[in-house]
Amino acid sequence: KTTGWISYSLAWSYRRFGNINFGNWYPYKYDRRHDIGLVINHAFNKKVDIGITWEFYSGNMFTVISQTYLAEHGIDTELARIQYFENRNNYRLPAYHRMDFNINFHKQKRKYTRTWSINIYNVYNNMNKFFVYYGNDDKNGRKDILVLKKYNIFPVLPSFTYSIQF
């Protein structure tokens, strides 16, 4: 009545191009050093079953600016912000993890089987950091200062499904 699986992957993903990162190897954006998956399904009877899925993986890589300086730009000596990157993809986001839950209610009709499903994505509402970007320091009202902002993705998200199989 109970089935499932566990998986683990240990992997490295690097890239190298002559005109990027001074021709040196660097970790790829989706370099997921550790990737763990756990799935458990249980059928109480022919009418009701549940499933739990848990995922964990190392955060994505991204590039942090090493230095910023102002330099003259153009004939009118307008100042431009110059950004220097010491290494490509030199920082890793925090680890990503979430748990999903689903319950299915099946009913056999004469010519088909209908299923009601209740699903909850990210049950414990972990606010995973999905990507980062540079933006103005809006919190302190400073438009001249760049700050690193992290973007969360998908809080707890319920869904309902009705399906017919014939």
Side-chain angles (χ1 to χ4, degrees), residues 122-133:
N122 196 8
V123 171
Y124 53 85
N125 199 28
N126 186 33
M127 298 307 290
N128 290 300
K129 308 302 185 233
F130 194 67
F131 68 89
V132 294
Y133 63 96

Side-chain angles (χ1 to χ4, degrees), residues 46-64:
K46 289 184 179 181
K47 294 183 178 185
V48 180
D49 62 75
I50 63 169
I52 295 173
T53 303
W54 183 72
E55 290 185 49
F56 172 94
Y57 53 82
S58 301
N60 290 340
M61 300 296 293
F62 70 97
T63 304
V64 174

Side-chain angles (χ1 to χ4, degrees), residues 49-107:
D49 62 75
I50 63 169
I52 295 173
T53 303
W54 183 72
E55 290 185 49
F56 172 94
Y57 53 82
S58 301
N60 290 340
M61 300 296 293
F62 70 97
T63 304
V64 174
I65 297 172
S66 303
Q67 297 176 356
T68 301
Y69 57 93
L70 297 175
E72 290 186 7
H73 176 68
I75 299 171
D76 57 1
T77 64
E78 182 181 317
L79 292 178
R81 185 179 303 175
I82 307 296
Q83 300 169 343
Y84 172 73
F85 305 95
E86 189 172 322
N87 292 313
R88 182 76 152 211
N89 292 340
N90 56 0
Y91 187 81
R92 185 179 296 278
L93 283 171
Y96 176 101
H97 58 93
R98 72 167 205 270
M99 180 179 287
D100 304 334
F101 172 80
N102 71 295
I103 185 166
N104 301 304
F105 301 97
H106 310 282
K107 186 160 189 180

